[in-house]
């Protein structure tokens, strides 16, 4: 049964990024167990309908969320001309680390356990960032993504409990996820959504992703490590 935690309206925030800003939305329930930063490779991640739907599910479970745009306006324009099969994972990783550092300095979420919710190329960025941040990251959920782009070295260095989610009707995608699972360190699990293909961003598959993510973070966002 879903809990009905009370969440304040999202607060529009700006994360400093050199001479520019990365806009985002921070939502903090009245009582919450940790903060999940969304790693969405899209240029307008804060407004992505799929991510916002999952964020609402996390709010119901008493989990704060940070959705932000990982690219500046100039970078987003350049990204539109980039080969979609060759995303700039290194840039996305740096931006996720930047958002994490910003959250560490904010009074209303400082000291709370941290998780990453990733999709697309953001899945690789989240795993690389988690490998670099070590015990500061308490849990990761990745869906509809390319986590193998993180590389074997980073995957083997991930210590945070990691949930990978794939669709039953996407055998090639599941094969990639199984290879990633073999390389990951620590607690790990592959969840398969029935009657779903490559994309899990609508309808019942999206609802299941939200439920799986809420359960994983509720279990693993523990206070043993702090966002600091």
């Amino acid at each position: 049964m879903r809990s009905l935690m009370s969440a304040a309206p999202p607060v529009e925030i700006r994360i400093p990024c050199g001479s520019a800003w990365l806009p985002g939305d921070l939502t903090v329930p009245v009582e919450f167990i940790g903060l999940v930063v969304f790693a969405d490779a899209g240029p307008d991640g804060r407004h992505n309908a799929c991510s916002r739907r999952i964020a609402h599910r996390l709010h119901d479970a008493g989990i704060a969320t940070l959705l932000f745009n990982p690219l500046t306006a100039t970078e987003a324009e350049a990204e539109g001309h980039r080969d979609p099969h060759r995303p700039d994972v290194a840039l996305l990783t740096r931006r996720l680390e930047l958002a994490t550092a910003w959250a560490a300095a904010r009074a209303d979420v400082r000291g709370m356990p941290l998780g990453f919710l990733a999709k697309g190329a953001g899945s690789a960025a989240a795993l690389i960032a988690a490998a670099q941040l070590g015990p500061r990251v308490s849990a990761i959920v990745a869906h509809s993504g390319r986590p193998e782009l993180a590389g074997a070295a980073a995957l083997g260095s991930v210590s945070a409990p990691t949930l990978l989610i794939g669709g039953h009707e996407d055998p090639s995608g599941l094969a990639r996820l199984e290879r990633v699972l073999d390389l990951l360190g620590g607690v790990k699990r592959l969840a398969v959504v029935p009657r779903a293909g490559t994309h899990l961003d609508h309808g019942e598959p999206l609802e299941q992703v939200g439920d799986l993510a809420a359960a994983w973070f509720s279990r693993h966002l523990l206070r043993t490590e702090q966002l600091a």
Side-chain angles (χ1 to χ4, degrees):
M1 180 180 296
R2 299 182 180 182
S3 61
L4 297 176
M5 302 294 291
S6 176
V11 175
E12 292 188 10
I13 56 92
R14 296 195 304 168
I15 301 170
C17 179
S19 61
W21 300 87
L22 304 178
D25 291 320
L26 176 67
T27 304
V28 181
V30 174
E31 296 181 4
F32 66 106
I33 62 173
L35 170 69
V36 169
V37 180
F38 279 60
D40 187 340
D44 196 17
R46 66 185 290 215
H47 291 141
N48 180 275
C50 168
S51 294
R52 294 182 78 85
R53 187 72 173 268
I54 296 173
H56 288 313
R57 178 65 187 93
L58 298 186
H59 302 157
D60 287 343
I63 298 168
T65 61
L66 172 60
L67 282 70
F68 73 104
N69 293 359
L71 304 178
T72 66
T74 301
E75 291 165 345
E77 182 177 356
E79 191 70 11
H81 302 288
R82 187 181 181 89
D83 182 350
H85 299 292
R86 301 185 63 182
D88 193 341
V89 174
L91 175 62
L92 293 171
T93 302
R94 291 195 299 272
R95 294 300 160 75
L96 183 57
E97 292 173 338
L98 185 68
T100 300
W102 175 88
R106 188 175 172 96
D108 49 359
V109 292
R110 184 171 57 232
M112 297 302 293
L114 170 73
F116 291 150
L117 189 293
K119 62 175 292 190
S123 296
L127 290 165
I128 295 172
Q132 295 173 349
L133 294 171
R136 292 168 63 187
V137 180
S138 297
I140 305 166
V141 175
H143 71 98
S144 305
R146 297 289 305 280
E148 74 278 5
L149 296 177
L155 292 172
S157 299
V158 173
S159 59
T162 302
L163 174 66
L164 304 176
I165 306 176
H168 182 267
E169 307 303 325
D170 179 23
S172 62
L174 288 178
R176 289 196 302 270
L177 293 180
E178 288 170 352
R179 290 193 292 270
V180 169
L181 199 72
D182 288 339
L183 293 169
L184 283 170
V187 177
K188 53 193 177 182
R189 179 191 166 200
L190 171 59
V192 180
V193 178
R195 299 181 299 281
T198 304
H199 302 291
L200 306 172
D201 54 3
H202 63 278
E204 185 176 348
L206 179 58
E207 292 292 329
Q208 294 190 49
V209 169
D211 288 342
L212 287 165
W216 191 260
F217 287 127
S218 294
R219 180 179 179 183
H220 294 290
L221 282 182
L222 307 175
R223 293 178 178 271
T224 53
E225 299 293 342
Q226 294 185 334
L227 175 63

